[in-house]
Structure formats: structure tokens, C-alpha cells
Amino acid sequence: MQVYASAMGQVDNVGDTVLRRGFLDALRRVGPLHVYVGARDDDHLSGLGLHDGDRLYRTSAEWRGRLSKALTAERSLYAFDTGETEVQRAFAMRYLRLAPLLVAARLRGGAAAHVGVGVREPTAWRVPISAVLRLCQVVTWRDEPSRRMMGVGGVSPDWAFALGAPEDVLLAAPDDADRRTLAIAVRASLSHAERDRPDARWIAAIGTLADELGLEPVVVAQIERDGPLAEELADALGAEAVVWDGPNHAKQEARLRAVYRGSRAVVSDRLHALVIAATEGAVPIGLANGDDDKVVRTLAAAGITGTSVDRALADPDTALATARDAIGRHAEIMASVVEARRTIDAVVDGLVELTAGR
């Protein structure tokens, strides 16, 4: 069974390559892997963990041509790209163009899967997208609200939970001497996605949180464009800043994981800063705008609840109480990470079983 998957993601986002590496690692269990990577350079691809046997496709024309041949003439598994998607016209048209190929693949004994995807918000375009997804044998979403919005499939944790420290390390009691820091990763505002910039009161609240927890703050840039803000916050806190020192995803991921392995907790509004940190044994404390924030709902799909605080830190006492409670539940939270991996493994087992019988 040949496997076809797209693995694009943002060029400066470690989280996007981490979750797709977990995705691609799983798909190799099904069969030889064909991956659309577009014009992504080697620094970006370093984070995907590609194998020598993987066949890469660099242009959309080459990829579309190969898919058309494979899904209509070969026994293949098509796996939709994972991560976050938008329910907009451009995405809906992409799904609709694939529909005839998915039908042909099914008739040839092939299959299709759409696994671990998140949706930002519903629109009317969810109707045609959901209709196409009913042609897939396996559909899961990385949070319950996404599943409810789309009305098809189940829920499985984000693929980034599949990577990180081994189970025995996660389940061991944390060593206070080894975990002395509070990692902080904050999303920078963009013109098309504006966010309130952390002000002096917010910075003071974070500083107090670190002091009360007895931890040293360290500010990290999970995404390259967050670097200037990370350096500014670190300067205000008198802390170290760990920002990108080059475009290589694998190197920056290694630096981030080293920080998280030395952290008792991480405070962030970057979803994959929280997920990656949790897979290295740090307690994830989400900065969220309400219960429907993707940070809250994606952690909840992995069984991690009650660890998020108001992003504005308007009530520092409540934030401190939540953080203390979360840190006190370290064993419970790490058990949830381990269980999330088992859920992901079960989904992959299902794909293997499905395709082996075809």
C-alpha cells in the first residue's frame, strides 16, 4: 500500500514540523511514503524527520499528476494534511477536487484518512468539506469542538503528543533540582491576527508568578517571528531569551526541548509550545481567551484540563492558584500525555489493519 500525504506547514513554526513528523512517522507503518513538501528548503525539512526511502514532491503540478495516477490506478492510502485548517472557500474547493479521486481510490481497494485536524471556526463551507470527508474510512479531529462543528468522525490527540521523552521519564516524579525554570512563550501580534501586547502589568504578573512558584523565568520563541517580543519580555523580566539563531527547525526544536526538560511548567498561548513542553515533562499552563480557545480544547482532547488561565492575567491570584494546582497534578497530567500516545497508536493500528485487509 503506497501512502500519499502532504506536509507543508508554516516555514518558521517548529510546532508545524513537530506535529507533521509524528504524522509521517505513523504513516510509514502503513507503507512506502510519498510526501508533498513544495518549495520548503532543507532547514524546514530538517524538522520533518524524513527518511531516505521517502519520495518527495516539490511542485504542485508534479504532486497533482502523481495523485491522479496513484489514486485511480494503484492501491493507495491518501492522508489529508494535518494540523489546523480553515473552513473557507479555498479549502472547500481543494476537498471537492479530491472527491472523484477518493471515490476511484476506494474502488481500487485504496483508502483515505483525515486524522488529527483542528478547525478554527465553522462557516457554511463546512457542508461540502464534511460531505467529502464521508468518503474517508478514518476521520478524527484534535478536539471535540472541531468534531462537533464538522459533524463527522471522532477525536484523537494532536500528533505532537506522539513525540518527546519516553514514558518512564514522563511518569517519574519531577526532580526539583533539574526543573528549576518557568518557560514563557508568547505569540507576537500580526497585522491579520492582532493581539494585545503584554504591558507592564502583565509582565509584573508573570514575574510574580515565577517568584511565587520559586522558579526562574526563561522566555522562548516557539516561532521565529516571536523572537523580538521574546527578547523584549526577557529583558523586562531579567531573564534569558531562547530565540532562533538560524532557520534550521531541527536545531531550534532541540534547543526548545532542552529548555522544556529543565522547566517545571510552561506558560504560553502557543499551542505547540504547551504540547511539546508537556511531552518533555513540563506542566502546560495555557494562556487562553475562554474555554473555546484552541489551547484549552486541544489539551482537553488529550485529557489535560484545568491548567489554563486568562491570557490577560487580569487576576494574578487566580492564575497563581491554577498554576500551583496544575504543578501539583504533575503525575496526573503526565499520565494523560502517555494515554494520549496510546490513543494515537490505536488510530494508527486501525489504519494499518484497514489497509492490510485491502
Side-chain angles (χ1 to χ4, degrees), residues 58-307:
R58 298 285 189 168
T59 70
S60 59
E62 180 188 23
W63 178 242
R64 289 196 303 269
R66 181 58 187 156
L67 276 185
S68 295
K69 180 179 179 181
L71 298 183
T72 57
E74 300 174 5
R75 190 168 158 270
S76 306
L77 170 69
Y78 178 75
F80 284 84
D81 196 5
T82 190
E84 186 172 77
T85 191
E86 296 182 33
V87 188
Q88 301 296 339
R89 183 181 186 279
F91 288 83
M93 297 308 295
R94 190 178 305 165
Y95 279 75
L96 288 169
R97 284 193 294 269
L98 277 167
L101 295 179
L102 299 183
V103 172
R106 196 161 189 163
L107 293 173
R108 298 285 303 181
H114 185 278
V115 186
V117 181
V119 174
R120 292 185 182 183
E121 56 187 2
T123 72
W125 292 106
R126 66 187 171 82
V127 176
I129 291 175
S130 295
V132 173
L133 291 181
R134 286 181 168 81
L135 298 173
C136 297
Q137 286 85 347
V138 180
V139 177
T140 72
W141 306 91
R142 71 181 184 187
D143 59 78
E144 173 57 30
S146 292
R147 187 210 63 77
R148 192 165 56 246
M149 288 177 209
M150 301 306 293
V152 57
V155 175
S156 63
D158 186 273
W159 285 104
F161 280 107
L163 305 178
E167 180 177 324
D168 60 329
V169 173
L170 293 178
L171 296 180
D175 188 329
D176 291 344
D178 291 336
R179 294 187 177 273
R180 296 174 294 181
T181 60
L182 177 69
I184 302 152
V186 181
R187 182 188 297 266
S189 183
L190 297 173
S191 59
H192 66 279
E194 293 187 4
R195 295 218 169 191
D196 292 337
R197 190 175 185 81
D199 56 17
R201 183 203 55 76
W202 191 96
I203 293 168
I206 281 287
T208 300
L209 181 64
D211 288 342
E212 291 292 331
L213 294 173
L215 300 171
E216 288 292 326
V218 56
V219 187
V220 303
Q222 180 78 17
I223 292 184
E224 187 176 20
R225 59 183 174 270
D226 292 344
L229 177 59
E231 291 177 324
E232 180 182 321
L233 294 177
D235 184 63
L237 290 164
E240 178 188 5
V242 178
V243 299
W244 289 56
D245 62 357
N248 188 277
H249 277 234
K251 291 179 180 178
Q252 181 63 9
E253 181 188 340
R255 297 176 74 222
L256 290 169
R257 288 189 184 275
V259 172
Y260 298 148
R261 283 194 295 272
S263 299
R264 195 65 182 270
V266 58
V267 177
S268 183
D269 57 356
R270 284 287 186 194
L271 170 61
H272 287 99
L274 298 167
V275 174
I276 296 170
T279 67
E280 294 295 343
V283 171
I285 300 172
L287 296 171
N289 292 320
D291 291 341
D292 198 43
D293 193 291
K294 74 175 182 180
V295 162
V296 177
R297 67 196 208 190
T298 309
L299 291 177
I304 302 172
T305 61
T307 71

